[in-house]
Amino acid sequence: MDQVHQISEEEIMRRAEEVFSVMESRSTLEEIDMMRRAFNLANTAHANQKRKSGEPYIVHPIAVARIVAEEMQLGAAPVCAAFLHDVVEDTSYSEEDIKSMFGDDVSFLVKVVTKQKKKQYEMSAQLDNFRKMLDSMHYDVRAILIKLADRLHNMRTLDSMLPAKQMKIAGETDYFYAPLANRLGLYKIKVELENLSFRYRCPQIYEKIVSLIEKDKKQDEIRMSSFMQKIDEVLKANGIRFRLEVAYRAPYSLYRKMRSQKVDFEHLEYRHFTRIVFPQDIYVSEKNMCLNIYSYLTNCFRERLGSMINYIDQPKQNGYQSFHVSLLSDYGVWEEVHISSERMIRLSRLGCVAQRRDNDINAWLENFRNVLRDVASNELANKNGEAYFIQSVRAQFYNDDITCYTPQGRAIRLPKNSTALDFAFNVHSQVGMHAKYAKINGHLTSIKTVLHRGDCVEIGTDPNVWPQDDWRQSAKSYKALRPIHQYLDRLPTPLYDRCPVCHAIPGEEVIGFKLESGRICVHRRDCADAIALSSRNGDRLVAVEYLPDNNVLYPVRIVVHAVDRQHLLSDLIDSISNKYRLSIKELHTVTEDEIVTCKVDFSVHSYDELQNIVNTILSVKDVDEVSFSIW
């Protein structure tokens, strides 16, 4: 029998004692007693239960409690809840039992992390569980931290699961739990969850990248030793106290960069970085110390233009702070350097927990809580189901963020890869609803343009502009997605579907064909598809009244052949824009041997309007021929 299945009672008690030892320095005698009672209850309740690996089940609650105590550094109540987190779900004990023995605080935490069994779920069992966790953050983030600890230990012991189960749990982890840990500032846990998920989802790719990292370490050993030795000499010569380390990026991070940059491992820059960590000094600000170190380094190393990133004045949304710069080593390779204080490193490891006060961490959560409350209670989550809910949540748990600015200097935080459209909605909902164009760093551009960190963005609006269907794909942030979905979902559904072959428009001779869905598709009477359908399913043909709608436009293209002359182009544009007040989408003109071929793309309300425009253009001097196509 595998040794892992033979865990003795003595070993179980030893592991539990390690948890109490971690908590001893920051707990009262009463709290230690409560934690021991919680362990004893869990040990008794799970006595006859085994994990999939064959281990006694109690090893899992002990491991979760240790993560909560040691890696998250939470207090006595969360540790008790970690011991008890599966008791109500998997044993005969009830929430009332937990409340009577351990009080309201522990009872609340256990209740939140306990999956509720229902006959009918609002969405699915998993999404109801996600929503419940998010709702709990309105009151107390500790419940989510316990759930993350639970998921982390499950991922650490996923080997015992069948491959299909591994894929399911790994997928949930990558999609939901890892980004959630990132947003809470738990960078170390986020990285571990991502990589454990990657390992089980794509084991061959994972192992390949692991082997490449190890090979890279050996090849870079001499170069990195020389680089670090020079940094060490420079900083010591200037009286700086510090510690130095090289950190290799995790397999999943490198894999993601390889995919986004479309390069292989060998051509991927910054596979590792050098970290300079200095102790806090009450007499020197962290920013000044970072700038001093930066100054000393750039006196000796060449700095890569545009590589400096100041995450101290503008931390990432998860609270990450540091000072980044790229320096040229003596081997002719750009090396990424992170300059951080010990406080910044601790904050990166513990996230929101590092910011807590003795009684709560609500100050850190205030902004985040408001967003989650809106997401979890949003009426569209119920109306549109799982897809919209998880899309909204995911939009808020992006893995990185950028900061852009209004012309007045107001900072706007956005998900990475956000567009000017996201910026507009984050300035104000009405700015977004009527956004027409953007000026990014002074350059006129589309509202669908992707933004980058530090961009200065100005939004131009027009009261006649409203969200379009393609805005759904362009927006990334929840503040943009929600009003766009709300507006578009309230628009009346067109009475008819258009044939994708003939693209019939109002005013043409048309016939309707009743689809299996019950909707009617409109065809031109000479459409090949309509003729074929009528021969096979003539009983589905119906008469339709296909009328123009002032709010609906249909894209068309006209091609004009004419003899070249002065002002010909302005006369053609006048025939469309001024006389019929229609916007031209695209215009392309070629003149060869005094013969002009002009293609114009625009949209019309009806076939009659198109015919009138064609006739108007035909009456223009020197125009010989006009043809058109409808899309």
Side-chain angles (χ1 to χ4, degrees):
M1 182 179 290
D2 196 327
Q3 186 177 2
V4 75
H5 299 167
Q6 302 178 23
I7 296 176
S8 66
E9 185 64 29
E10 289 76 15
E11 174 63 14
I12 289 171
M13 295 305 297
R14 186 191 68 78
R15 294 186 187 185
E17 286 297 330
E18 288 177 345
V19 178
F20 306 138
S21 177
V22 169
M23 295 299 297
E24 189 173 13
S25 63
R26 60 176 193 267
S27 304
T28 66
L29 292 175
E30 291 78 8
E31 288 172 334
I32 293 292
D33 177 68
M34 181 173 68
M35 287 184 281
R36 287 186 180 278
R37 288 190 289 111
F39 162 69
N40 290 333
L41 175 61
N43 197 20
T44 301
H46 294 300
N48 298 318
Q49 296 175 349
K50 302 285 186 182
R51 301 197 81 207
K52 294 288 186 182
S53 62
E55 297 174 316
Y57 193 86
I58 189 62
V59 301
H60 171 62
I62 293 173
V64 174
R66 180 156 187 172
I67 293 170
V68 167
E70 189 171 42
E71 298 182 46
M72 295 180 172
Q73 296 189 14
L74 294 177
V79 171
C80 290
F83 279 129
L84 301 167
H85 75 275
D86 281 333
V87 165
V88 174
E89 185 177 340
D90 295 338
T91 77
S92 60
Y93 287 92
S94 67
E95 291 175 7
E96 289 71 22
D97 295 329
I98 303 299
K99 185 174 182 179
S100 66
M101 287 185 276
F102 300 98
D104 292 340
D105 197 19
V106 173
S107 174
F108 164 76
L109 294 174
V110 172
K111 180 178 179 180
V112 171
V113 298
T114 299
K115 292 179 182 177
Q116 301 297 311
K117 297 176 182 178
K118 302 179 182 179
K119 291 183 179 179
Q120 183 173 359
Y121 294 93
E122 291 181 42
M123 296 180 176
S124 68
Q126 186 59 65
L127 285 184
D128 270 24
N129 187 37
F130 287 165
R131 171 175 279 183
K132 181 184 174 187
M133 283 195 298
L134 295 176
D135 281 337
S136 75
M137 284 191 68
H138 306 166
Y139 313 104
D140 198 326
V141 71
R142 296 174 303 167
I144 286 221
L145 296 176
I146 296 167
K147 193 65 181 178
L148 279 173
D150 178 36
R151 177 54 59 120
L152 180 57
H153 184 250
N154 282 333
M155 289 299 297
R156 287 173 176 175
T157 56
L158 203 56
D159 279 327
S160 59
M161 295 288 186
L162 293 172
K165 189 72 171 178
Q166 288 178 343
M167 186 68 186
K168 175 184 180 296
I169 295 174
E172 289 175 358
T173 300
D174 187 57
Y175 195 84
F176 187 83
Y177 289 96
L180 176 60
N182 180 70
R183 173 51 70 87
L184 293 173
L186 300 167
Y187 180 76
K188 184 179 177 182
I189 290 176
K190 169 250 187 186
V191 169
E192 186 174 357
L193 287 173
E194 279 182 341
N195 282 279
L196 286 169
S197 172
F198 184 42
R199 173 187 166 191
Y200 287 106
R201 288 187 295 106
C202 308
Q204 293 181 359
I205 301 174
Y206 175 85
E207 292 299 333
K208 176 67 174 176
I209 295 178
V210 168
S211 67
L212 288 171
I213 292 172
E214 291 305 312
K215 180 181 176 182
D216 209 37
K217 286 180 181 180
K218 292 179 182 178
Q219 290 178 341
D220 292 344
E221 190 172 354
I222 295 176
R223 188 184 89 230
M224 292 309 300
S225 176
S226 172
F227 182 64
M228 293 176 70
Q229 182 178 350
K230 189 170 181 179
I231 291 176
D232 187 78
E233 292 171 356
V234 169
L235 297 184
K236 283 182 177 177
N238 287 279
I240 302 295
R241 290 184 298 143
F242 66 97
R243 61 182 175 88
L244 200 59
E245 61 187 24
V246 175
Y248 278 78
R249 289 191 160 87
Y252 185 67
S253 174
L254 296 174
Y255 173 71
R256 191 166 50 203
K257 288 177 180 292
M258 288 161 60
R259 291 190 66 185
S260 65
Q261 298 175 21
K262 296 180 172 59
V263 295
D264 61 15
F265 184 89
E266 296 298 328
H267 293 88
L268 186 67
E269 282 193 306
Y270 305 134
R271 299 187 289 268
H272 58 260
F273 58 89
T274 302
R275 180 183 284 137
I276 301 170
V277 186
F278 58 87
Q280 289 173 263
D281 187 333
I282 61 173
Y283 300 106
V284 181
S285 75
E286 291 175 316
K287 179 180 176 181
N288 285 344
M289 181 59 78
C290 287
L291 291 173
N292 286 341
I293 293 173
Y294 164 76
S295 177
Y296 296 140
L297 293 176
T298 50
N299 285 339
C300 299
F301 295 95
R302 185 175 295 278
E303 175 188 357
R304 190 170 193 171
L305 188 65
S307 68
M308 188 187 75
I309 304 177
N310 177 7
Y311 286 119
I312 299 173
D313 291 333
Q314 292 292 335
K316 292 186 178 183
Q317 189 70 25
N318 60 14
Y320 174 84
Q321 288 183 298
S322 188
F323 191 94
H324 294 190
V325 65
S326 294
L327 304 175
L328 189 64
S329 74
D330 292 340
Y331 285 74
V333 176
W334 291 109
E335 299 289 353
E336 185 177 352
V337 177
H338 296 181
I339 308 171
S340 311
S341 69
E342 292 287 3
R343 182 197 64 83
M344 295 175 193
I345 297 300
R346 181 173 183 271
L347 177 63
S348 179
R349 181 169 64 88
L350 293 176
C352 61
V353 182
Q355 298 287 349
R356 76 182 192 276
R357 300 297 178 262
D358 290 339
N359 56 349
D360 64 78
I361 56 172
N362 286 338
W364 188 91
L365 280 170
E366 188 57 38
N367 292 333
F368 190 35
R369 179 186 293 119
N370 290 336
V371 172
L372 289 178
R373 183 186 298 116
D374 198 24
V375 172
S377 62
N378 179 13
E379 63 184 23
L380 284 179
N382 293 322
K383 179 180 177 182
N384 294 340
E386 296 183 11
Y388 182 81
F389 175 75
I390 205 67
Q391 179 188 19
S392 300
V393 172
R394 182 70 169 168
Q396 287 308 127
F397 296 155
Y398 41 80
N399 289 328
D400 206 348
D401 56 83
I402 59 172
T403 301
C404 298
Y405 300 89
T406 67
Q408 295 75 34
R410 175 186 166 194
I412 304 291
R413 288 189 182 278
L414 297 167
K416 189 176 181 180
N417 298 321
S418 287
T419 62
L421 191 58
D422 293 290
F423 185 92
F425 276 100
N426 277 265
V427 169
H428 193 280
S429 59
Q430 288 305 304
V431 174
M433 293 296 285
H434 303 291
K436 187 173 186 178
Y437 64 86
K439 286 188 177 180
I440 302 175
N441 303 321
H443 298 285
L444 183 66
T445 186
S446 162
I447 57 171
K448 300 172 187 174
T449 303
V450 175
L451 300 177
H452 299 92
R453 178 182 170 86
D455 282 343
C456 180
V457 185
E458 181 181 355
I459 301 296
T461 61
D462 184 332
N464 296 315
V465 170
W466 293 92
Q468 303 297 309
D469 196 60
D470 59 358
W471 286 21
R472 298 181 199 258
Q473 286 71 50
S474 298
K476 297 292 183 292
S477 64
Y478 174 68
K479 280 192 175 180
L481 285 169
R482 180 184 181 187
I484 290 170
H485 278 285
Q486 285 179 325
Y487 175 81
L488 294 174
D489 289 345
R490 284 198 296 260
L491 292 178
T493 305
L495 291 175
Y496 306 116
D497 297 332
R498 293 174 70 205
C499 169
V501 176
C502 68
H503 306 292
I505 65 175
E508 293 187 283
E509 291 185 319
V510 296
I511 191 70
F513 186 82
K514 194 169 184 179
L515 305 173
E516 291 184 3
S517 64
R519 300 227 0 124
I520 294 176
C521 185
V522 177
H523 302 257
R524 285 206 325 248
R525 286 181 175 267
D526 61 352
C527 173
D529 270 23
I531 295 169
L533 288 169
S534 63
S535 66
R536 296 196 305 268
N537 303 98
D539 58 327
R540 291 193 182 182
L541 293 175
V542 294
V544 295
E545 191 175 17
Y546 196 28
L547 300 175
D549 182 338
N550 288 333
N551 296 315
V552 180
L553 289 166
Y554 303 90
V556 298
R557 169 177 291 171
I558 62 169
V559 180
V560 179
H561 294 281
V563 179
D564 191 22
R565 64 171 172 82
Q566 193 175 22
H567 302 307
L568 173 64
L569 187 58
S570 64
D571 288 346
L572 295 179
I573 294 173
D574 181 69
S575 299
I576 300 170
S577 293
N578 294 336
K579 290 187 178 179
Y580 293 92
R581 298 186 179 278
L582 298 172
S583 297
I584 292 175
K585 281 285 196 181
E586 188 173 334
L587 186 148
H588 184 259
T589 182
V590 176
T591 302
E592 186 175 354
D593 297 332
E594 301 300 319
I595 304 300
V596 176
T597 301
C598 183
K599 298 177 182 178
V600 189
D601 292 351
F602 58 103
S603 295
V604 297
H605 297 91
S606 68
Y607 186 76
D608 293 337
E609 185 175 55
L610 176 59
Q611 286 289 356
N612 289 336
I613 292 169
V614 169
N615 291 335
T616 300
I617 293 174
L618 281 170
S619 68
V620 172
K621 181 184 175 184
D622 292 321
V623 170
D624 180 68
E625 182 183 359
V626 180
S627 59
F628 64 83
S629 56
I630 302 170
W631 299 347

